[in-house]
Amino acid sequence: MTSPNRPRSFQEIILRLQNYWAAQGCAVLQPYDMEVGAGTFHPATTLRALGGRSWAAAYVQPSRRPTDGRYGENPNRLQHYYQYQVIIKPSPANLQDLYLGSLRAIGLDPMVHDVRFVEDDWESPTLGAWGLGWEVWCDGMEVSQFTYFQQVGGHDCRPVSGELTYGLERLAMYVLGVEHVMDMPFNDPDAPIPLTYGDIFRQTEREYSRWNFDQADTDTLFQHFKDAEAECARILSADPVDGAGRTIPMAHPAYDQAIKASHIFNLLDARGVISVTERQAYIGRVRALAKACADLFVTTEAAQA
Amino acid sequence: MPDLLIELFSEEIPARMQARAREDLKKLVTDGLVNAGLTYASAGAFSTPRRLTLAVEGLTANSPTTREERKGPRTDAPEAALEGFLRSTGLTRDQLEARDDKKGQVWFAVIERPGRPAAEIVAEVLDSSIRTFPWPKSMRWGAGSLRWVRPLHSIICLLSDEAGATVVPLTVEGITAGNTTRGHRFLSPDAFTVTGFDDYAAKLRRAHVILDSAEREAAIRQGAENLAFARGWEIVPDDALLSEVAGLVEWPVPLMGVIEDRFLDLPPEVLQTSMKEHQKFFSARNQKTGRIEGFVTVANIETPDDGATILAGNQRVLAARLSDAAFFWQNDLREAKAGMGAWAEGLKSVTFHNKLGSQADRIKRIAALARELAPLVGADADQAEKAARLAKLDLRSAMVGEFPELQGTMGRYYSLAAGQPENVADAARDHYSPLGPSDAVPTARVSVAVALADKIDTLAGFWAIHEKPTGSKDPFALRRAALGVIRLRPNFPVSVILEKQVERGLLAAANQHAVGFRATIRINTPDAKVLEEAVDVIRTFPLTEKGEVWTKEAHEQFLEVREAGELYYLSSAPEDHFERFNGQAKAGRPENIAADLLSFLHDRLKVYLRDQGIRHDIIDAVLAQPGNDDLVLVVNRATALNAMLQTEDGRNLTQGLKRAGNILAQAEEKDGVEYSFGADVKFAETDEERTLFAALDTAEPAIKAAIAAEDFPAAMTAIAHLRAPIDAFFEAVQVNTDNQIVRRNRLNLLHRIRAAGQQIADFTKIEG
């Protein structure tokens, strides 16, 4: 696996992906500034996958999955991690080749490795979204999710977006040959102040694991969930015409509240206070918000071809 | 005679769909060709991850010209009728002929359809085959609207004969058919042209693609076995995995690796399942140690380092996976040794079915039933209940969470670790059996008790909530459960047990409604004040903590308060719990539901016995008898009766019994009385009558004793002795004589015959 092309750090892998997708014509966006469970929640994916307008974006998205917290001890599991997300609409005919190019860019040469596209259908019950595609295997390890979106927020995707999601830590650990995520070099190991992933995140993983599992105040969270839900509904039902007579429907502010509700639900789930019977109902409520936001978004300027 | 080559080249087709897709492509295209009038000599379909291919040999070059005459309306029929006829035939009025018919002048159309060239037909058939292809799941891509399993990139559609090859003109949603394809994604990515199937297959091979999945399977099997043989190992055969792996590669390259020593203490089932499920590895067993010590992974590429990088990567992933498995195993063992209490607790929050509650609720029901069944199947009641309480706890273990197919297998390991005796632990592994019609049936008493309890509870529970199988739909595999019950041979009356278990199911369903009701209020009430009032109402009925079966008293109180509760029930609820509850309350009493379930078991029993060559009328004759809820008794009776009816004596006896029954029934209907008592030999006039009396005197106690001993062959022998006297009686004696005393006596004698037969079966239901 050693070659001059091999990246030396986590951040170098990210930078190479950024450069690669920039070179392919994607707008390199910045992470969304809210807590989300996956890069798909970024409005650049969820909302922009809707409607007829062409789109190409790539970005890192910090993602939070409270139930995956392991106090920084598990070599692979984190409650906060990074996804690299690429979304292109309409999906280009050479999307698989573009993807393979990105693997080459980070030092995975498909002539030496065994790269495979293995069936894996994707579904997000909270977003009312699904698609078909694969998980991409490299030497038996899943390194990416590759999906052709068919529906988002209950709307058929026309045209279809192609979505690529890289689990950055896992992919980087493989490329860098690291066994435990906390040992992974974050910046260059020869930098004057070399930092590992653990130097940056071991403490936060411990703190958030405790908070997620034991300390988050559930009454407050339940209240926040209701507040977000109510605010979302209020924004959506607001008169699209403002006081000055301008027509400004507010799909994005409403969607922010849907994201918020989704994350609060994840926190409540980690706290173990959502019963089995309630679980489906909560997911249904978040989905209803996401769908209502999608319904509004498709009527807006950004959704027109 | 041209040959046809079709290739549909796409992004990676799911392995599990390929075999079916080959068949579908062959059927759709060849059916289409034949329907259009072409014939062909042979056809073969092939698939790789990136292509579906069809080769048709010996296709006719044209479809034949056809001529059809069609009769139309009378010449004096209304204009509209004629216009309709012209539309349906595609002709104009001057092309019609007026001919004399029986009813006058009638229009006749002669439709001539000239033969068409194969290319034209192929283009139409392929176009419609692509558009209507029955993929289990299909998708759109890019800006197009065509659906395929994954994006379709190119089409070969080529007719070739001695004169050369011609591309069939065809464009499907912007993809124009041609004669080019591509080889292996990495090893031979360039496009190349082909002239026919042989050329195609040969060039693909040069381009690192083995077209035939059977050949890929053989290559994988052979390669894996060779690698194993070199180490003195053997590959654990797995046809399903072989077929899946063959659907994942175009150029299979088997590579062998060794499992690190630190993982060799894991149960072999765990090693095998982890490697198969997560990584699609074949397991290699060391013949000397009998352990699984290695694996074979199948790469899709030859590399300059002979797969060293690939193998190292796979080995690394395997180590991470098996580390997880070892972690699960160690943690699970610790929990098992502590008695598995946390798992039992955890199953309270795992739903079995949203109308029947949690797995913990279900286990309670099964345990109660297992205890009741134990004396009936010869098991110790304490052991049966214990085994039932433990048998499903592994569902909560980390290992089964990761590998659901190891349920039961792990349960046995963990029960042993918990210090349970072998027979209790075995029940964890064996109580799911039998799963299919040819699956092994457990015989250990405790396992039988738990297996029966598991299946009866499943049936009773779903019957209680009206989730019965309909037509081809049987999502909860209830037919399989019923067959399992039958194959476990319960030789005791099951009605009482079914009823009791249905009642447990009904209570569980009621409990679930209350839980759902509470949750609905909590979720759907934004107004805190309303919520508090609603919760107050809920507090008035003593719903025990979720997971506990509530009492009948609670059930009744629930019914009382539900109307009050309805006031707080907001219409935005996803489902109306009370509607569902009311529907269920009306649905019938436990005994009715249990009777319906018993008749379902009888239906499955008929299927089971018919498969064993026993006619349905014989089964019906036996099922009409009392005691038909003892399924083993029914089987034994039916088997013995079936054997008797194979003999001439048996068939004749049946005729005699039926004749006796018919005469008696007619007389009883005519006279309005039942002849059922008091036949006396002193009124007998003939020797034949007296002989029959004597024969019945002997046969009746013999049949009764044999039935009591459930010795049906003996009962059959005893009744078979009646054949000659009955035949002789009917030969010599006129039943309906004028002497009323003699007649009545004879009818009462016939009753003794009927009664003797009824001890065994309802012979009126026997056909022929």
Side-chain angles (χ1 to χ4, degrees), chain B residues 113-125:
Chain B
R113 291 196 189 85
R116 300 166 64 210
E120 211 178 299
I121 294 171
V122 165
E124 283 171 16
V125 167

Side-chain angles (χ1 to χ4, degrees), chain B residues 574-589:
Chain B
E575 286 151 311
D576 188 327
H577 292 274
F578 289 112
E579 273 305 307
R580 297 200 324 205
F581 183 85
N582 286 335
Q584 219 156 70
K586 284 181 212 145
R589 304 173 53 78

Side-chain angles (χ1 to χ4, degrees), chain A residues 89-141:
Chain A
K89 179 173 77 173
S91 64
N94 64 344
L95 189 55
Q96 280 186 312
D97 291 332
L98 292 177
Y99 169 75
L100 293 168
S102 76
L103 291 187
R104 286 189 195 95
I106 56 173
L108 290 176
D109 178 1
M111 298 303 286
V112 182
H113 294 275
D114 185 29
V115 178
R116 227 86 76 66
F117 293 84
V118 180
E119 178 192 14
D120 191 39
D121 302 340
W122 172 84
E123 186 181 7
S124 168
T126 39
L127 289 176
W130 67 277
L132 298 191
W134 312 271
E135 49 184 47
V136 185
W137 285 19
C138 179
D139 304 335
M141 188 176 68

Side-chain angles (χ1 to χ4, degrees), chain B residues 41-42 104 118 120 146 182-183 199 221 255 259 319 334 344 424 476 594 624 629 676 683 710:
Chain B
S42 65
E120 211 178 299
L146 185 64
R182 289 170 189 277
D199 183 50
R221 191 198 303 266
L255 301 167
I259 300 171
R334 203 172 308 130
V424 170
F476 304 109
D629 67 332
S676 59
F683 298 115
E710 295 184 8

Side-chain angles (χ1 to χ4, degrees), chain A residues 1 74 76 90-97 100 104 110-121 130 132-134 137-141 146 148-150 156-160 170 173-174 177-179 222 226 229 273-278 281-282 285, chain B residues 11-17 137-145 147 149-151 153 185-187 248-249 278-280 298-305 309-310 313-314 316-317 320-321 324 349-351 512 515-516 519 522-526 531 546 574:
Chain A
M1 206 148 37
N74 187 289
N76 300 302
S91 64
N94 64 344
L95 189 55
Q96 280 186 312
D97 291 332
L100 293 168
R104 286 189 195 95
M111 298 303 286
V112 182
H113 294 275
D114 185 29
V115 178
R116 227 86 76 66
F117 293 84
V118 180
E119 178 192 14
D120 191 39
D121 302 340
W130 67 277
L132 298 191
W134 312 271
W137 285 19
C138 179
D139 304 335
M141 188 176 68
F146 191 127
Y148 292 101
F149 279 172
Q150 302 296 299
D156 279 352
C157 298
R158 290 179 191 276
V160 167
R170 188 165 13 168
M173 283 166 68
Y174 188 61
V178 177
E179 301 295 334
F222 275 121
K226 285 178 190 158
E229 190 180 39
V273 294
I274 306 251
S275 77
V276 183
T277 3
E278 290 167 325
Y282 272 101
R285 284 166 73 177
Chain B
E11 297 177 12
E12 277 76 355
I13 306 166
R16 68 186 170 95
M17 298 180 187
K137 271 187 189 170
S138 63
M139 53 165 274
R140 293 172 288 103
W141 60 94
S145 57
R147 301 189 77 89
V149 63
R150 293 293 183 276
H153 281 283
R185 186 189 278 288
F186 304 116
L187 295 174
L248 285 169
V249 292
H278 286 313
Q279 300 188 259
K280 309 193 197 298
V298 182
N300 186 33
I301 194 166
E302 281 169 359
T303 63
D305 64 355
T309 303
I310 295 171
N314 275 283
R316 189 170 177 279
V317 182
R321 290 291 191 186
D324 281 350
S349 57
V350 177
T351 305
Q512 275 312 101
V515 172
R522 176 160 151 205
I523 293 170
N524 288 291
T525 311
L531 174 66
K546 176 178 171 289

Side-chain angles (χ1 to χ4, degrees), chain B residues 648-654 656-657 659 687-689 691-693 695-696 699 717-732 753:
Chain B
E648 204 199 331
D649 268 359
R651 283 192 294 273
N652 283 330
L653 173 70
T654 305
L657 290 171
R659 191 166 167 193
D687 284 346
E688 285 81 3
E689 277 180 277
T691 307
L692 183 54
F693 269 104
L696 280 165
T717 310
I719 199 169
H721 286 314
L722 290 174
R723 181 231 160 156
I726 291 176
D727 283 358
F729 172 83
F730 281 124
E731 189 76 24
I753 296 175

Side-chain angles (χ1 to χ4, degrees), chain B residues 206-322:
Chain B
R206 257 176 275 150
H208 300 94
V209 175
I210 298 175
L211 177 64
D212 187 349
S213 60
E215 190 186 335
R216 293 197 301 275
E217 282 185 25
I220 293 165
R221 191 198 303 266
Q222 193 59 51
E225 280 170 2
N226 289 347
L227 287 167
F229 183 77
R231 289 181 186 262
W233 292 352
E234 60 183 357
I235 300 294
V236 179
D238 189 335
D239 286 347
L241 180 62
L242 184 61
S243 141
E244 185 182 3
V245 171
L248 285 169
V249 292
E250 295 199 309
W251 194 248
V253 181
L255 301 167
M256 169 158 273
V258 179
I259 300 171
E260 293 172 45
D261 283 345
R262 61 188 167 126
F263 300 123
L264 293 181
D265 289 338
L266 284 167
E269 296 96 334
V270 170
L271 288 174
Q272 206 180 327
T273 308
S274 173
M275 295 199 294
K276 171 185 173 158
E277 291 304 314
H278 286 313
Q279 300 188 259
K280 309 193 197 298
F281 287 176
F282 293 91
S283 294
R285 189 185 287 122
N286 182 334
Q287 282 158 312
K288 277 191 226 97
T289 63
R291 293 189 306 193
I292 288 172
E293 297 183 3
F295 65 86
V296 169
T297 180
V298 182
N300 186 33
I301 194 166
E302 281 169 359
T303 63
D305 64 355
D306 290 327
T309 303
I310 295 171
L311 191 58
N314 275 283
Q315 196 103 37
R316 189 170 177 279
V317 182
L318 177 66
R321 290 291 191 186
L322 293 184

